[in-house]
Amino acid sequence: MQLLRLWLCLALGSLALQAQALVVSASDGAQGPRALSSGVGIQRDPSGQWTIADVAAGGARHGGFAPLNGAVEEGFTRDTVWLRLSLSRTPEAPSRWLLRLRPPRISEAVLYSPDGHGGFTQVDIGDRQPFAQREIPDHNFVYPLQLSTEPVDYFLKLRSDGPALRAELDLWQATGFAQHRTTDYAVVGLLVGAAILSVCMNLIFMAWLRDSLYGHYALYVVGVAALTLNRQGFVAQWLLDAHPERVAQTLLVVNCLFNVVATTFMARIFGFRQHWKPAAIFFDGVAAFNLLACFVALTSRHPTAAPWVSAGSVLSTSFGGVFVAYLLIVRRQWQYLLPASAFAVGTILGIYGLLKLWLGDWLPGAQPERLYVVGSMMHLVLLNAAVANRTRRAEIDVRVERDKVLSVRLEAERQLESTVVRRTAELASANAMLHEEIAVRARLENQLMQALQVEREAIAQQREFVAMVSHEFRTPLTAIDAAAQSLEISRLGAQPAVRSRTERIRRAVQRLTMLIENVMLADRLQSASHSMRLETLDIVELTQGLCDSFHFQSPSRIRLEVHAAAEVWVRADRALLDIALRNLVHNALKYSAADRPVVVALKAVAGSVYIDVTDQGEGIAPHDAPRIFERYFRAESASRVPGTGLGLHLSRDIARLHGGDVALVATSEAGSVFRLRLPLSS
């Protein structure tokens, strides 16, 4: 008889389980979450000592599981809450599912799944577990489940030490959850970006308008963003993944600091101190209380402070709302209507959310998390408009003052009208004189055009003369240089005195040749008809050849350092590029002491080639540095060295014609570094 009763109890229990089990199909959780609206039972453990064996085998002795309709709403409690989830799937539905638990502000969340051998496997998450240990990385708590076509009981243990104990449960398929998580993180990124943009704009307004209220509002926006990220679990994921024991404390600390900023900002934007000083004193007290609570939140007693901080928030926001209503209705301070609307939305939804946390399903409406997000967004949008409205009102005040000034100017203009009438006759006579002057200027203009034509012809003749003289100079200079080279390689060239004189001759020839080339090039670059002869060049080979051409002066003075591949190609005019490099190296040799080396360093970096020419001269004075690339400019320190002041100017013009530049990179008493930059050939 007893066996029959036991069998009947088991059979009835199995039938009840099947009736209560939630069956998911292939279409559930693919596009959106499947809420656990049925198949969930709840049981409270005030002692916190029950084990999974006690709950699974003896739940009826403890009062049994009561049906849970909707979310878990337990308020600020230390009791442990057990949930029983009866789940199954249709045959065509996938076996792998994801159980999501939110919000992520639960100290202990343990899922017990049947292991098929009469026992349970345990998965610990909760905000006390390191984020890196979660099997599914998400800012909410997510458990993987293997559902069967037969109903199976899963047990979930929940406990919260600080914030109110509240939980929502839903099921996802893996693909649907991945898409939702991508959208979720994109929305968070958009919110963070909008907050950063708002902070930057208000900091700019603070600098422009010299009003610290904009800076205070920027700090307020930072507080709202930080509080939102904390409440949604992103701070625990991004910053505290290795310190889970600090998650609840961090949320409480951020909440306290936000209350400090929010109360002081509200008192300031509504002018509490100007309208009623006790109101400002009360808000100062609320800020001080939150600072004290912040210090408590940093200790191990932070769970005891959370309800008091929430109660203080309700009290301060309620008092602030009443006082602002007094300002609008009794005092008729309509300039506060827009910020009052912003705070009203956030205050009403915030208070309702806190009451929802305390009273749970006794209050109807949306869940506190949704209320908080919606309220925060509407609050920030309206409050940003309210702060911006200060700028608009300031602009209106400026316009009023401008209109006053304009009215004074109009009055002055009316007084001047009589003077204008009297001066009209004088202007008529002056107009006749002006016509005569115009005629004279027309004649002068014709004369000027004739003189300009003569000047153009003279410039053309000058260019022809310069070209002719340059050609005539090149021939004897070439002969002199050839003779000096022949003398160097002769038997007499080995004598020190002869070698010294031949080197002086060759340096003088090179200096005159470069002078002629620079003068001719400056003339060509000024001509609109000049065009470059571009070709693909190996800049390493060109630089090596250029350095070798100076070795007759002192083979050990020029040191070439190549920090690039064997070949570096550029698209350039060989003749122009040779002149630009030659001017830089010649200047380095000319302004360095005869016994000091000149370093030419070549390197290719990120699509460009850099050629640094380093001398060991006296450096360039700070007041001369901005002008060294000007045409014909020579610094005071260069007066002892012969030159025309064209070399650096032409080198930079040539580099810019090729899409590069020449710049003074560094200068000191130990020498200077000039850098030629050219784009690499694609």
Side-chain angles (χ1 to χ4, degrees), residues 368-628:
E369 294 302 318
R370 298 175 184 173
L371 289 174
Y372 176 77
V373 174
V374 173
S376 297
M377 292 299 299
M378 296 178 63
H379 172 67
L380 284 181
V381 170
L382 292 175
L383 194 57
N384 194 54
V387 175
N389 186 49
R390 286 173 55 89
T391 306
R392 184 184 67 85
R393 287 192 287 108
E395 179 66 20
I396 292 175
D397 294 339
V398 171
R399 290 180 181 177
V400 170
E401 293 297 326
R402 189 180 300 166
D403 291 341
K404 292 180 180 179
V405 174
L406 182 60
S407 63
V408 174
R409 291 180 57 186
L410 292 175
E411 180 64 25
E413 289 178 1
R414 284 193 294 269
Q415 294 178 358
L416 289 175
E417 285 181 357
S418 58
T419 305
V420 172
V421 172
R422 291 194 301 268
R423 296 291 301 275
T424 301
E426 299 176 4
L427 289 176
S429 59
N431 192 27
M433 297 175 62
L434 180 60
H435 283 293
E436 183 179 355
E437 183 179 353
I438 290 174
V440 174
R441 293 197 177 197
R443 291 193 297 271
L444 292 176
E445 183 178 357
N446 291 332
Q447 295 176 4
L448 181 60
M449 293 298 295
Q450 294 175 1
L452 182 60
Q453 182 63 29
V454 172
E455 182 181 358
R456 289 174 179 172
E457 294 175 357
I459 291 175
Q461 294 176 0
Q462 178 184 357
R463 289 178 178 172
E464 293 178 0
F465 176 75
V466 170
M468 179 191 68
V469 171
S470 300
H471 177 73
E472 294 299 326
F473 277 5
R474 289 176 187 269
T475 302
L477 287 175
T478 303
I480 293 172
D481 188 58
Q485 292 184 48
S486 299
L487 185 59
E488 278 184 342
I489 63 177
S490 66
R491 289 181 301 172
L492 294 176
Q495 298 179 11
V498 174
R499 177 170 294 278
S500 174
R501 286 181 172 82
T502 55
E503 288 181 355
R504 290 178 59 187
I505 292 172
R506 295 196 67 190
R507 283 197 299 270
V509 169
Q510 188 182 51
R511 185 168 65 251
L512 289 176
T513 302
M514 290 187 64
L515 175 61
I516 293 172
E517 290 179 350
N518 285 337
V519 172
M520 292 293 295
L521 179 60
D523 186 65
R524 289 203 305 271
L525 291 179
Q526 285 185 336
S527 174
S529 61
H530 173 74
S531 61
M532 296 191 298
R533 300 179 180 88
L534 297 177
E535 57 180 309
T536 303
L537 304 174
D538 182 2
I539 191 65
V540 177
E541 178 186 356
L542 180 66
T543 307
Q544 180 67 56
L546 174 67
C547 294
D548 292 342
S549 68
F550 283 95
H551 280 179
F552 72 87
Q553 300 182 14
S554 177
S556 62
R557 286 197 65 191
I558 300 179
R559 185 171 74 250
L560 177 62
E561 299 177 356
V562 179
H563 307 285
E567 296 179 345
V568 179
W569 301 97
V570 297
R571 187 77 174 163
D573 187 314
R574 179 184 292 272
L576 293 180
L577 188 56
D578 183 78
I579 291 175
L581 286 171
R582 189 176 297 276
N583 281 332
L584 294 177
V585 176
H586 182 71
N587 276 1
L589 291 171
K590 183 168 59 175
Y591 292 107
S592 298
D595 58 344
R596 295 184 180 179
V598 171
V599 179
V600 179
L602 186 148
K603 60 181 177 181
V605 179
S608 298
V609 59
Y610 297 94
I611 303 176
D612 292 346
V613 180
T614 305
D615 62 53
Q616 297 192 32
E618 299 178 358
I620 299 172
H623 62 276
D624 289 334
R627 301 189 58 195
I628 57 174

